[in-house]
Short mmCIF file of all heavy atoms in Angstrom, two decimals:
data_model
loop_
_atom_site.label_atom_id
_atom_site.label_comp_id
_atom_site.label_asym_id
_atom_site.label_seq_id
_atom_site.Cartn_x
_atom_site.Cartn_y
_atom_site.Cartn_z
N ARG A 1105 -50.53 12.02 3.18
CA ARG A 1105 -51.50 10.93 3.14
C ARG A 1105 -50.92 9.68 2.50
O ARG A 1105 -51.26 8.56 2.88
CB ARG A 1105 -52.74 11.36 2.35
CG ARG A 1105 -53.62 12.37 3.04
CD ARG A 1105 -54.26 11.85 4.35
NE ARG A 1105 -54.86 10.53 4.22
CZ ARG A 1105 -56.06 10.28 3.73
NH1 ARG A 1105 -56.82 11.26 3.29
NH2 ARG A 1105 -56.52 9.03 3.67
N TYR A 1131 -49.92 4.53 15.77
CA TYR A 1131 -50.22 3.13 15.52
C TYR A 1131 -49.75 2.75 14.12
O TYR A 1131 -49.77 3.56 13.20
CB TYR A 1131 -51.74 2.88 15.57
CG TYR A 1131 -52.32 2.82 16.96
CD1 TYR A 1131 -52.72 3.98 17.62
CD2 TYR A 1131 -52.52 1.60 17.61
CE1 TYR A 1131 -53.28 3.93 18.89
CE2 TYR A 1131 -53.08 1.53 18.88
CZ TYR A 1131 -53.45 2.70 19.51
OH TYR A 1131 -54.02 2.64 20.77
N GLN A 1133 -50.75 0.10 11.13
CA GLN A 1133 -51.80 -0.80 10.69
C GLN A 1133 -51.38 -1.45 9.37
O GLN A 1133 -51.44 -0.82 8.31
CB GLN A 1133 -53.14 -0.07 10.52
CG GLN A 1133 -54.29 -1.03 10.20
CD GLN A 1133 -55.63 -0.33 10.13
OE1 GLN A 1133 -55.73 0.87 9.89
NE2 GLN A 1133 -56.69 -1.10 10.36
N GLY A 1136 -55.04 -5.55 6.41
CA GLY A 1136 -55.78 -6.72 6.88
C GLY A 1136 -55.64 -7.00 8.36
O GLY A 1136 -56.15 -8.02 8.85
N GLN A 1137 -54.99 -6.10 9.09
CA GLN A 1137 -54.79 -6.30 10.54
C GLN A 1137 -55.33 -5.11 11.32
O GLN A 1137 -55.60 -4.04 10.76
CB GLN A 1137 -53.31 -6.50 10.85
CG GLN A 1137 -52.70 -7.72 10.18
CD GLN A 1137 -51.24 -7.90 10.56
OE1 GLN A 1137 -50.75 -7.35 11.55
NE2 GLN A 1137 -50.53 -8.70 9.78
N GLY A 1138 -55.44 -5.31 12.62
CA GLY A 1138 -55.83 -4.21 13.49
C GLY A 1138 -54.65 -3.31 13.79
O GLY A 1138 -53.49 -3.70 13.63
N PRO A 1139 -54.92 -2.08 14.23
CA PRO A 1139 -53.83 -1.16 14.57
C PRO A 1139 -52.99 -1.70 15.72
O PRO A 1139 -53.52 -2.28 16.67
CB PRO A 1139 -54.57 0.12 14.99
CG PRO A 1139 -55.93 0.01 14.39
CD PRO A 1139 -56.24 -1.44 14.37
N LEU A 1141 -50.04 -0.48 18.53
CA LEU A 1141 -49.42 0.70 19.12
C LEU A 1141 -47.92 0.68 18.94
O LEU A 1141 -47.25 -0.31 19.27
CB LEU A 1141 -49.77 0.78 20.61
CG LEU A 1141 -49.19 2.00 21.35
CD1 LEU A 1141 -49.85 3.28 20.86
CD2 LEU A 1141 -49.35 1.85 22.85
N GLN A 1144 -46.64 5.96 22.63
CA GLN A 1144 -47.63 6.81 23.27
C GLN A 1144 -46.92 7.93 24.01
O GLN A 1144 -45.97 7.69 24.77
CB GLN A 1144 -48.47 6.00 24.26
CG GLN A 1144 -49.47 6.81 25.06
CD GLN A 1144 -50.17 5.99 26.14
OE1 GLN A 1144 -50.12 4.77 26.12
NE2 GLN A 1144 -50.83 6.66 27.07
N ASP A 1152 -45.13 4.94 26.60
CA ASP A 1152 -44.96 3.54 26.19
C ASP A 1152 -44.36 3.51 24.80
O ASP A 1152 -44.97 4.01 23.86
CB ASP A 1152 -46.30 2.80 26.21
CG ASP A 1152 -46.19 1.31 25.89
OD1 ASP A 1152 -45.10 0.85 25.49
OD2 ASP A 1152 -47.20 0.60 26.03
N SER A 1154 -42.67 0.43 23.97
CA SER A 1154 -42.18 -0.95 24.05
C SER A 1154 -42.25 -1.69 22.72
O SER A 1154 -41.51 -2.65 22.50
CB SER A 1154 -42.95 -1.72 25.12
OG SER A 1154 -44.35 -1.71 24.83
N GLN A 1155 -43.15 -1.27 21.81
CA GLN A 1155 -43.26 -1.96 20.53
C GLN A 1155 -42.71 -1.14 19.38
O GLN A 1155 -42.97 -1.47 18.22
CB GLN A 1155 -44.73 -2.35 20.28
CG GLN A 1155 -45.27 -3.35 21.31
CD GLN A 1155 -46.57 -3.96 20.89
OE1 GLN A 1155 -46.63 -4.91 20.13
NE2 GLN A 1155 -47.66 -3.39 21.37
N LEU A 1187 -51.16 5.47 11.69
CA LEU A 1187 -52.28 6.22 12.24
C LEU A 1187 -51.84 6.99 13.48
O LEU A 1187 -51.17 6.44 14.35
CB LEU A 1187 -53.41 5.27 12.66
CG LEU A 1187 -54.12 4.51 11.54
CD1 LEU A 1187 -54.92 3.35 12.12
CD2 LEU A 1187 -55.03 5.44 10.76
N GLY A 1195 -53.26 8.86 31.08
CA GLY A 1195 -53.27 7.57 31.75
C GLY A 1195 -54.06 6.49 31.07
O GLY A 1195 -54.66 5.65 31.71
N ASN A 1196 -54.09 6.49 29.73
CA ASN A 1196 -54.80 5.45 28.98
C ASN A 1196 -56.28 5.41 29.33
O ASN A 1196 -56.88 4.34 29.45
CB ASN A 1196 -54.17 4.08 29.21
CG ASN A 1196 -53.07 3.79 28.24
OD1 ASN A 1196 -53.20 4.06 27.06
ND2 ASN A 1196 -51.97 3.26 28.73
N ASN A 1197 -56.86 6.55 29.50
CA ASN A 1197 -58.30 6.65 29.72
C ASN A 1197 -58.92 7.48 28.61
O ASN A 1197 -58.25 8.29 27.99
CB ASN A 1197 -58.59 7.31 31.07
CG ASN A 1197 -58.10 6.46 32.23
OD1 ASN A 1197 -58.46 5.31 32.37
ND2 ASN A 1197 -57.24 7.04 33.05
N GLY A 1198 -60.20 7.33 28.40
CA GLY A 1198 -60.88 8.19 27.46
C GLY A 1198 -60.85 7.69 26.03
O GLY A 1198 -60.10 6.78 25.67
N GLU A 1199 -61.66 8.32 25.21
CA GLU A 1199 -61.83 7.95 23.82
C GLU A 1199 -60.63 8.37 22.99
O GLU A 1199 -60.07 9.45 23.19
CB GLU A 1199 -63.10 8.60 23.27
CG GLU A 1199 -63.37 8.30 21.80
CD GLU A 1199 -64.61 8.99 21.29
OE1 GLU A 1199 -65.38 9.54 22.12
OE2 GLU A 1199 -64.82 9.01 20.06
N LEU A 1200 -60.25 7.53 22.04
CA LEU A 1200 -59.20 7.86 21.09
C LEU A 1200 -59.83 8.40 19.82
O LEU A 1200 -60.80 7.84 19.30
CB LEU A 1200 -58.39 6.61 20.74
CG LEU A 1200 -57.13 6.33 21.56
CD1 LEU A 1200 -57.49 6.12 23.03
CD2 LEU A 1200 -56.39 5.14 21.01
N PHE A 1202 -58.87 9.22 15.93
CA PHE A 1202 -57.86 8.89 14.95
C PHE A 1202 -57.85 9.88 13.78
O PHE A 1202 -58.89 10.40 13.37
CB PHE A 1202 -58.10 7.50 14.37
CG PHE A 1202 -57.71 6.38 15.30
CD1 PHE A 1202 -58.61 5.89 16.23
CD2 PHE A 1202 -56.45 5.81 15.23
CE1 PHE A 1202 -58.26 4.86 17.09
CE2 PHE A 1202 -56.09 4.77 16.08
CZ PHE A 1202 -56.99 4.29 17.01
N GLY A 1203 -56.64 10.08 13.23
CA GLY A 1203 -56.52 10.78 11.97
C GLY A 1203 -56.79 9.82 10.82
O GLY A 1203 -57.07 8.63 11.04
N GLU A 1204 -56.69 10.31 9.59
CA GLU A 1204 -56.99 9.47 8.43
C GLU A 1204 -55.82 8.58 8.04
O GLU A 1204 -55.97 7.68 7.22
CB GLU A 1204 -57.41 10.35 7.26
CG GLU A 1204 -58.73 11.07 7.52
CD GLU A 1204 -59.32 11.67 6.27
OE1 GLU A 1204 -58.54 12.16 5.43
OE2 GLU A 1204 -60.57 11.66 6.13
N TYR B 376 -62.64 -2.09 29.71
CA TYR B 376 -63.16 -1.13 28.72
C TYR B 376 -63.08 -1.78 27.35
O TYR B 376 -62.01 -2.25 26.93
CB TYR B 376 -62.34 0.16 28.77
CG TYR B 376 -62.73 1.18 27.73
CD1 TYR B 376 -64.00 1.75 27.73
CD2 TYR B 376 -61.84 1.57 26.74
CE1 TYR B 376 -64.37 2.68 26.77
CE2 TYR B 376 -62.19 2.50 25.78
CZ TYR B 376 -63.45 3.05 25.80
OH TYR B 376 -63.81 3.97 24.85
N TYR B 380 -64.76 0.09 16.93
CA TYR B 380 -64.44 1.12 15.97
C TYR B 380 -64.89 0.69 14.58
O TYR B 380 -64.83 -0.49 14.22
CB TYR B 380 -62.93 1.39 15.93
CG TYR B 380 -62.41 2.14 17.14
CD1 TYR B 380 -62.10 1.47 18.31
CD2 TYR B 380 -62.25 3.53 17.11
CE1 TYR B 380 -61.63 2.15 19.42
CE2 TYR B 380 -61.78 4.21 18.21
CZ TYR B 380 -61.47 3.51 19.36
OH TYR B 380 -61.02 4.19 20.45
N GLN B 382 -64.09 1.49 10.54
CA GLN B 382 -63.11 2.11 9.67
C GLN B 382 -63.57 2.00 8.22
O GLN B 382 -63.66 0.90 7.67
CB GLN B 382 -61.72 1.45 9.82
CG GLN B 382 -60.63 2.17 9.05
CD GLN B 382 -59.24 1.62 9.35
OE1 GLN B 382 -59.09 0.45 9.69
NE2 GLN B 382 -58.22 2.46 9.23
N GLY B 385 -59.97 4.28 3.45
CA GLY B 385 -59.18 5.50 3.39
C GLY B 385 -59.34 6.43 4.59
O GLY B 385 -58.82 7.55 4.58
N LYS B 386 -60.02 5.95 5.61
CA LYS B 386 -60.23 6.77 6.80
C LYS B 386 -59.61 6.10 8.03
O LYS B 386 -59.29 4.91 8.01
CB LYS B 386 -61.73 6.98 7.04
CG LYS B 386 -62.47 7.66 5.89
CD LYS B 386 -62.18 9.12 5.85
CE LYS B 386 -62.94 9.85 4.75
NZ LYS B 386 -64.38 9.89 5.02
N GLY B 387 -59.51 6.88 9.10
CA GLY B 387 -59.06 6.29 10.35
C GLY B 387 -60.23 5.65 11.10
O GLY B 387 -61.39 5.95 10.80
N PRO B 388 -59.96 4.78 12.05
CA PRO B 388 -61.05 4.17 12.84
C PRO B 388 -61.82 5.24 13.61
O PRO B 388 -61.24 6.21 14.10
CB PRO B 388 -60.30 3.24 13.80
CG PRO B 388 -58.97 3.00 13.16
CD PRO B 388 -58.64 4.26 12.44
N GLN B 389 -63.13 5.01 13.72
CA GLN B 389 -63.98 5.93 14.46
C GLN B 389 -64.79 5.15 15.48
O GLN B 389 -65.41 4.14 15.14
CB GLN B 389 -64.91 6.69 13.51
CG GLN B 389 -65.78 7.72 14.19
CD GLN B 389 -66.62 8.52 13.21
OE1 GLN B 389 -66.79 8.14 12.06
NE2 GLN B 389 -67.15 9.65 13.66
N LEU B 390 -64.79 5.63 16.72
CA LEU B 390 -65.54 4.96 17.78
C LEU B 390 -67.03 5.00 17.48
O LEU B 390 -67.58 6.06 17.18
CB LEU B 390 -65.27 5.65 19.12
CG LEU B 390 -65.98 5.06 20.34
CD1 LEU B 390 -65.37 3.71 20.71
CD2 LEU B 390 -65.91 6.01 21.54
N ARG B 395 -68.35 -0.75 29.31
CA ARG B 395 -67.45 -0.95 30.44
C ARG B 395 -67.90 -2.16 31.23
O ARG B 395 -69.05 -2.59 31.12
CB ARG B 395 -67.39 0.30 31.30
CG ARG B 395 -66.85 1.49 30.52
CD ARG B 395 -66.69 2.75 31.34
NE ARG B 395 -66.33 3.87 30.46
CZ ARG B 395 -65.08 4.16 30.10
NH1 ARG B 395 -64.08 3.43 30.56
NH2 ARG B 395 -64.84 5.18 29.30
N PHE B 433 -63.55 -2.99 14.15
CA PHE B 433 -62.54 -3.50 15.08
C PHE B 433 -63.08 -3.46 16.50
O PHE B 433 -63.65 -2.45 16.93
CB PHE B 433 -61.27 -2.63 15.03
CG PHE B 433 -60.52 -2.71 13.75
CD1 PHE B 433 -60.69 -1.76 12.77
CD2 PHE B 433 -59.61 -3.74 13.54
CE1 PHE B 433 -59.98 -1.83 11.57
CE2 PHE B 433 -58.90 -3.83 12.35
CZ PHE B 433 -59.10 -2.87 11.36
N ARG B 437 -59.12 -3.01 26.94
CA ARG B 437 -58.11 -2.28 27.72
C ARG B 437 -58.37 -2.45 29.21
O ARG B 437 -59.50 -2.31 29.66
CB ARG B 437 -58.17 -0.79 27.36
CG ARG B 437 -57.15 0.08 28.06
CD ARG B 437 -57.24 1.51 27.57
NE ARG B 437 -58.43 2.20 28.09
CZ ARG B 437 -58.91 3.34 27.57
NH1 ARG B 437 -58.31 3.89 26.54
NH2 ARG B 437 -59.96 3.90 28.09
N ALA B 438 -57.31 -2.73 29.94
CA ALA B 438 -57.37 -2.71 31.39
C ALA B 438 -56.99 -1.29 31.85
O ALA B 438 -56.31 -0.57 31.13
CB ALA B 438 -56.42 -3.74 31.99
N ALA B 439 -57.42 -0.92 33.03
CA ALA B 439 -57.17 0.42 33.54
C ALA B 439 -55.67 0.72 33.52
O ALA B 439 -54.87 -0.06 34.03
CB ALA B 439 -57.70 0.55 34.97
N GLY B 440 -55.32 1.85 32.89
CA GLY B 440 -53.92 2.26 32.84
C GLY B 440 -53.11 1.59 31.75
O GLY B 440 -51.95 1.95 31.53
N ASN B 441 -53.69 0.62 31.07
CA ASN B 441 -52.96 -0.09 30.01
C ASN B 441 -53.37 0.40 28.63
O ASN B 441 -54.35 1.12 28.48
CB ASN B 441 -53.23 -1.60 30.10
CG ASN B 441 -52.54 -2.23 31.29
OD1 ASN B 441 -51.74 -1.59 31.97
ND2 ASN B 441 -52.84 -3.48 31.55
N LYS B 442 -52.60 -0.02 27.64
CA LYS B 442 -52.89 0.40 26.28
C LYS B 442 -54.08 -0.36 25.71
O LYS B 442 -54.44 -1.45 26.19
CB LYS B 442 -51.67 0.17 25.39
CG LYS B 442 -51.32 -1.30 25.20
CD LYS B 442 -50.05 -1.48 24.40
CE LYS B 442 -49.75 -2.95 24.23
NZ LYS B 442 -48.44 -3.17 23.58
N LEU B 443 -54.67 0.20 24.67
CA LEU B 443 -55.77 -0.42 23.96
C LEU B 443 -55.21 -1.47 23.00
O LEU B 443 -54.27 -1.18 22.25
CB LEU B 443 -56.51 0.67 23.18
CG LEU B 443 -57.95 0.44 22.76
CD1 LEU B 443 -58.83 0.17 23.96
CD2 LEU B 443 -58.45 1.66 22.00
N PHE B 445 -56.22 -4.05 19.90
CA PHE B 445 -57.25 -4.24 18.89
C PHE B 445 -57.32 -5.68 18.41
O PHE B 445 -56.31 -6.40 18.37
CB PHE B 445 -56.97 -3.35 17.67
CG PHE B 445 -57.24 -1.89 17.91
CD1 PHE B 445 -56.30 -1.08 18.52
CD2 PHE B 445 -58.45 -1.33 17.52
CE1 PHE B 445 -56.54 0.27 18.73
CE2 PHE B 445 -58.71 0.01 17.74
CZ PHE B 445 -57.76 0.81 18.35
N GLY B 446 -58.53 -6.09 18.00
CA GLY B 446 -58.69 -7.33 17.29
C GLY B 446 -58.26 -7.16 15.83
O GLY B 446 -57.89 -6.06 15.41
N GLY B 447 -58.33 -8.25 15.07
CA GLY B 447 -57.84 -8.23 13.71
C GLY B 447 -58.78 -7.60 12.69
O GLY B 447 -58.40 -7.38 11.54
N GLY B 448 -60.02 -7.33 13.10
CA GLY B 448 -60.95 -6.66 12.21
C GLY B 448 -61.91 -7.61 11.51
O GLY B 448 -61.60 -8.78 11.27
#
Side-chain angles (χ1 to χ4, degrees):
Chain A
R1105 289 296 313 278
Y1131 283 86
Q1133 186 176 24
Q1137 299 182 18
L1141 181 68
Q1144 176 186 345
D1152 184 352
S1154 58
Q1155 296 193 83
L1187 293 164
N1196 272 317
N1197 296 303
E1199 179 182 349
L1200 268 61
F1202 284 87
E1204 294 193 324
Chain B
Y376 176 63
Y380 287 84
Q382 187 173 28
K386 300 285 182 68
Q389 183 176 17
L390 180 71
R395 298 184 187 274
F433 292 97
R437 182 177 73 196
N441 288 353
K442 66 184 181 186
L443 202 58
F445 287 84

